[in-house]
Amino acid sequence: MMFVVSLSYTAPLSDIDALLDAHVGWLKQAYADGLFLASGRKVPRSGGVILARGERAALEARLALDPFAQNGVARYDIIEFVPGMTAAGLEGLLEA
């Protein structure tokens, strides 16, 4: 399955920035494990977005380990979808 995760900050950016290095380390591990496909900040900077694949339970467990979640500075909304079409070069997403 594929997922779009929308993170919304629930604390001041100073609190987010204090946890940013740990959050980036958490992201890198999720990429290394093959769970995350893309991620980045929202504009304006009110949170972030993650494109993920795998099982929902595994994603929810991983999100619970995010330093942002563990420190209560972000809320997570998960949208599950089945990709039906992609741009050239992203056809592998159809097999997710």
Side-chain angles (χ1 to χ4, degrees):
M1 297 304 303
M2 297 275 303
F3 304 92
V4 175
V5 180
S6 176
L7 284 76
S8 298
Y9 299 147
T10 59
L13 286 179
S14 58
D15 294 350
I16 300 301
D17 288 341
L19 297 165
L20 196 55
D21 286 344
H23 173 73
V24 169
W26 169 82
L27 285 168
K28 287 179 179 180
Q29 186 59 56
Y31 278 104
D33 294 341
L35 181 62
F36 292 174
L37 301 172
S39 61
R41 291 180 177 173
K42 291 180 182 177
V43 176
R45 191 175 172 209
S46 61
V49 176
I50 299 170
L51 180 62
R53 68 170 145 200
E55 298 298 322
R56 186 179 185 109
L59 175 60
E60 290 174 345
R62 182 61 64 101
L63 292 174
L65 298 175
D66 182 359
F68 288 173
Q70 293 181 334
N71 287 277
V73 300
R75 183 185 76 239
Y76 304 80
D77 296 306
I78 302 170
I79 301 167
E80 186 172 342
F81 74 102
V82 177
M85 189 180 303
T86 66
L90 298 176
E91 297 85 0
L93 296 178
L94 297 173
E95 301 166 6

